[in-house]
Amino acid sequence: MSPSETLAVDAFLGLLVPLWQVVIGVLVLVTLVVSVRKLLLRGPSRMGGALLLVGSAVVGLAVVSYLLQSL
C-alpha cells in the first residue's frame, strides 16, 4: 500500500470507531431496560440480590475500564 492509501484507510477506520461505540452503547442500554423490566415483574423479593449483582457489575466494569485505560 502506498502512504496515501494507508492514510485513507486510517481515516476511514477513525470514522468507524465512534459508530461501533454507539452501537455497543445502544445494545447495553437495551439489555439494561429489558433486565430492569424483568426484575420489576418478579417483584420486591428479588430486588435485594439483583441490586447487589448490578452494583458489583458496575464496580467491576469501572475497575476493568480504569485498568485498561491506564495501560
Side-chain angles (χ1 to χ4, degrees), residues 56-67:
S56 61
V58 166
V59 169
L61 184 63
V63 167
V64 168
S65 66
Y66 176 74
L67 290 175

mmCIF file with all atom_site columns, all heavy atoms in Angstrom, residues 56-67:
data_model
loop_
_atom_site.group_PDB
_atom_site.id
_atom_site.type_symbol
_atom_site.label_atom_id
_atom_site.label_alt_id
_atom_site.label_comp_id
_atom_site.label_asym_id
_atom_site.label_entity_id
_atom_site.label_seq_id
_atom_site.pdbx_PDB_ins_code
_atom_site.Cartn_x
_atom_site.Cartn_y
_atom_site.Cartn_z
_atom_site.occupancy
_atom_site.B_iso_or_equiv
_atom_site.pdbx_formal_charge
_atom_site.auth_seq_id
_atom_site.auth_comp_id
_atom_site.auth_asym_id
_atom_site.auth_atom_id
_atom_site.pdbx_PDB_model_num
ATOM 1  N N   . SER A 1 56 ? -22.244 -4.784 41.974 1.00 0.00 ? 56 SER A N   1
ATOM 2  C CA  . SER A 1 56 ? -20.921 -5.395 41.810 1.00 0.00 ? 56 SER A CA  1
ATOM 3  C C   . SER A 1 56 ? -20.503 -5.398 40.340 1.00 0.00 ? 56 SER A C   1
ATOM 4  O O   . SER A 1 56 ? -19.317 -5.258 40.028 1.00 0.00 ? 56 SER A O   1
ATOM 5  C CB  . SER A 1 56 ? -20.906 -6.813 42.374 1.00 0.00 ? 56 SER A CB  1
ATOM 6  O OG  . SER A 1 56 ? -21.835 -7.625 41.697 1.00 0.00 ? 56 SER A OG  1
ATOM 7  N N   . ALA A 1 57 ? -21.449 -5.545 39.422 1.00 0.00 ? 57 ALA A N   1
ATOM 8  C CA  . ALA A 1 57 ? -21.115 -5.487 37.995 1.00 0.00 ? 57 ALA A CA  1
ATOM 9  C C   . ALA A 1 57 ? -20.638 -4.092 37.606 1.00 0.00 ? 57 ALA A C   1
ATOM 10 O O   . ALA A 1 57 ? -19.687 -3.947 36.833 1.00 0.00 ? 57 ALA A O   1
ATOM 11 C CB  . ALA A 1 57 ? -22.325 -5.893 37.162 1.00 0.00 ? 57 ALA A CB  1
ATOM 12 N N   . VAL A 1 58 ? -21.270 -3.069 38.127 1.00 0.00 ? 58 VAL A N   1
ATOM 13 C CA  . VAL A 1 58 ? -20.868 -1.690 37.819 1.00 0.00 ? 58 VAL A CA  1
ATOM 14 C C   . VAL A 1 58 ? -19.471 -1.408 38.370 1.00 0.00 ? 58 VAL A C   1
ATOM 15 O O   . VAL A 1 58 ? -18.623 -0.838 37.677 1.00 0.00 ? 58 VAL A O   1
ATOM 16 C CB  . VAL A 1 58 ? -21.901 -0.685 38.381 1.00 0.00 ? 58 VAL A CB  1
ATOM 17 C CG1 . VAL A 1 58 ? -21.365 0.730  38.376 1.00 0.00 ? 58 VAL A CG1 1
ATOM 18 C CG2 . VAL A 1 58 ? -23.189 -0.777 37.603 1.00 0.00 ? 58 VAL A CG2 1
ATOM 19 N N   . VAL A 1 59 ? -19.226 -1.834 39.598 1.00 0.00 ? 59 VAL A N   1
ATOM 20 C CA  . VAL A 1 59 ? -17.902 -1.623 40.190 1.00 0.00 ? 59 VAL A CA  1
ATOM 21 C C   . VAL A 1 59 ? -16.844 -2.400 39.414 1.00 0.00 ? 59 VAL A C   1
ATOM 22 O O   . VAL A 1 59 ? -15.757 -1.885 39.127 1.00 0.00 ? 59 VAL A O   1
ATOM 23 C CB  . VAL A 1 59 ? -17.905 -2.018 41.681 1.00 0.00 ? 59 VAL A CB  1
ATOM 24 C CG1 . VAL A 1 59 ? -16.499 -2.055 42.250 1.00 0.00 ? 59 VAL A CG1 1
ATOM 25 C CG2 . VAL A 1 59 ? -18.772 -1.059 42.468 1.00 0.00 ? 59 VAL A CG2 1
ATOM 26 N N   . GLY A 1 60 ? -17.160 -3.639 39.049 1.00 0.00 ? 60 GLY A N   1
ATOM 27 C CA  . GLY A 1 60 ? -16.221 -4.449 38.275 1.00 0.00 ? 60 GLY A CA  1
ATOM 28 C C   . GLY A 1 60 ? -15.920 -3.832 36.923 1.00 0.00 ? 60 GLY A C   1
ATOM 29 O O   . GLY A 1 60 ? -14.764 -3.799 36.481 1.00 0.00 ? 60 GLY A O   1
ATOM 30 N N   . LEU A 1 61 ? -16.939 -3.337 36.253 1.00 0.00 ? 61 LEU A N   1
ATOM 31 C CA  . LEU A 1 61 ? -16.744 -2.685 34.960 1.00 0.00 ? 61 LEU A CA  1
ATOM 32 C C   . LEU A 1 61 ? -15.906 -1.418 35.094 1.00 0.00 ? 61 LEU A C   1
ATOM 33 O O   . LEU A 1 61 ? -15.042 -1.143 34.253 1.00 0.00 ? 61 LEU A O   1
ATOM 34 C CB  . LEU A 1 61 ? -18.100 -2.359 34.330 1.00 0.00 ? 61 LEU A CB  1
ATOM 35 C CG  . LEU A 1 61 ? -18.078 -1.754 32.950 1.00 0.00 ? 61 LEU A CG  1
ATOM 36 C CD1 . LEU A 1 61 ? -17.461 -2.738 31.957 1.00 0.00 ? 61 LEU A CD1 1
ATOM 37 C CD2 . LEU A 1 61 ? -19.478 -1.378 32.511 1.00 0.00 ? 61 LEU A CD2 1
ATOM 38 N N   . ALA A 1 62 ? -16.130 -0.662 36.160 1.00 0.00 ? 62 ALA A N   1
ATOM 39 C CA  . ALA A 1 62 ? -15.341 0.552  36.380 1.00 0.00 ? 62 ALA A CA  1
ATOM 40 C C   . ALA A 1 62 ? -13.877 0.209  36.631 1.00 0.00 ? 62 ALA A C   1
ATOM 41 O O   . ALA A 1 62 ? -12.973 0.874  36.112 1.00 0.00 ? 62 ALA A O   1
ATOM 42 C CB  . ALA A 1 62 ? -15.910 1.342  37.556 1.00 0.00 ? 62 ALA A CB  1
ATOM 43 N N   . VAL A 1 63 ? -13.622 -0.846 37.404 1.00 0.00 ? 63 VAL A N   1
ATOM 44 C CA  . VAL A 1 63 ? -12.244 -1.249 37.685 1.00 0.00 ? 63 VAL A CA  1
ATOM 45 C C   . VAL A 1 63 ? -11.554 -1.729 36.409 1.00 0.00 ? 63 VAL A C   1
ATOM 46 O O   . VAL A 1 63 ? -10.414 -1.349 36.129 1.00 0.00 ? 63 VAL A O   1
ATOM 47 C CB  . VAL A 1 63 ? -12.213 -2.337 38.780 1.00 0.00 ? 63 VAL A CB  1
ATOM 48 C CG1 . VAL A 1 63 ? -10.848 -2.992 38.876 1.00 0.00 ? 63 VAL A CG1 1
ATOM 49 C CG2 . VAL A 1 63 ? -12.621 -1.758 40.108 1.00 0.00 ? 63 VAL A CG2 1
ATOM 50 N N   . VAL A 1 64 ? -12.234 -2.551 35.631 1.00 0.00 ? 64 VAL A N   1
ATOM 51 C CA  . VAL A 1 64 ? -11.650 -3.055 34.384 1.00 0.00 ? 64 VAL A CA  1
ATOM 52 C C   . VAL A 1 64 ? -11.364 -1.916 33.414 1.00 0.00 ? 64 VAL A C   1
ATOM 53 O O   . VAL A 1 64 ? -10.300 -1.850 32.804 1.00 0.00 ? 64 VAL A O   1
ATOM 54 C CB  . VAL A 1 64 ? -12.572 -4.119 33.749 1.00 0.00 ? 64 VAL A CB  1
ATOM 55 C CG1 . VAL A 1 64 ? -12.135 -4.442 32.325 1.00 0.00 ? 64 VAL A CG1 1
ATOM 56 C CG2 . VAL A 1 64 ? -12.588 -5.383 34.587 1.00 0.00 ? 64 VAL A CG2 1
ATOM 57 N N   . SER A 1 65 ? -12.310 -0.985 33.268 1.00 0.00 ? 65 SER A N   1
ATOM 58 C CA  . SER A 1 65 ? -12.085 0.135  32.359 1.00 0.00 ? 65 SER A CA  1
ATOM 59 C C   . SER A 1 65 ? -10.950 1.030  32.834 1.00 0.00 ? 65 SER A C   1
ATOM 60 O O   . SER A 1 65 ? -10.161 1.528  32.028 1.00 0.00 ? 65 SER A O   1
ATOM 61 C CB  . SER A 1 65 ? -13.363 0.935  32.153 1.00 0.00 ? 65 SER A CB  1
ATOM 62 O OG  . SER A 1 65 ? -13.740 1.563  33.361 1.00 0.00 ? 65 SER A OG  1
ATOM 63 N N   . TYR A 1 66 ? -10.827 1.214  34.143 1.00 0.00 ? 66 TYR A N   1
ATOM 64 C CA  . TYR A 1 66 ? -9.716  2.005  34.677 1.00 0.00 ? 66 TYR A CA  1
ATOM 65 C C   . TYR A 1 66 ? -8.381  1.323  34.403 1.00 0.00 ? 66 TYR A C   1
ATOM 66 O O   . TYR A 1 66 ? -7.406  1.976  34.008 1.00 0.00 ? 66 TYR A O   1
ATOM 67 C CB  . TYR A 1 66 ? -9.897  2.230  36.180 1.00 0.00 ? 66 TYR A CB  1
ATOM 68 C CG  . TYR A 1 66 ? -8.733  2.947  36.813 1.00 0.00 ? 66 TYR A CG  1
ATOM 69 C CD1 . TYR A 1 66 ? -8.536  4.310  36.619 1.00 0.00 ? 66 TYR A CD1 1
ATOM 70 C CD2 . TYR A 1 66 ? -7.806  2.261  37.605 1.00 0.00 ? 66 TYR A CD2 1
ATOM 71 C CE1 . TYR A 1 66 ? -7.472  4.962  37.179 1.00 0.00 ? 66 TYR A CE1 1
ATOM 72 C CE2 . TYR A 1 66 ? -6.734  2.906  38.163 1.00 0.00 ? 66 TYR A CE2 1
ATOM 73 C CZ  . TYR A 1 66 ? -6.570  4.256  37.958 1.00 0.00 ? 66 TYR A CZ  1
ATOM 74 O OH  . TYR A 1 66 ? -5.508  4.899  38.507 1.00 0.00 ? 66 TYR A OH  1
ATOM 75 N N   . LEU A 1 67 ? -8.340  0.008  34.610 1.00 0.00 ? 67 LEU A N   1
ATOM 76 C CA  . LEU A 1 67 ? -7.094  -0.722 34.377 1.00 0.00 ? 67 LEU A CA  1
ATOM 77 C C   . LEU A 1 67 ? -6.710  -0.707 32.898 1.00 0.00 ? 67 LEU A C   1
ATOM 78 O O   . LEU A 1 67 ? -5.542  -0.554 32.561 1.00 0.00 ? 67 LEU A O   1
ATOM 79 C CB  . LEU A 1 67 ? -7.227  -2.155 34.870 1.00 0.00 ? 67 LEU A CB  1
ATOM 80 C CG  . LEU A 1 67 ? -7.289  -2.324 36.391 1.00 0.00 ? 67 LEU A CG  1
ATOM 81 C CD1 . LEU A 1 67 ? -7.543  -3.774 36.760 1.00 0.00 ? 67 LEU A CD1 1
ATOM 82 C CD2 . LEU A 1 67 ? -6.026  -1.817 37.050 1.00 0.00 ? 67 LEU A CD2 1
#
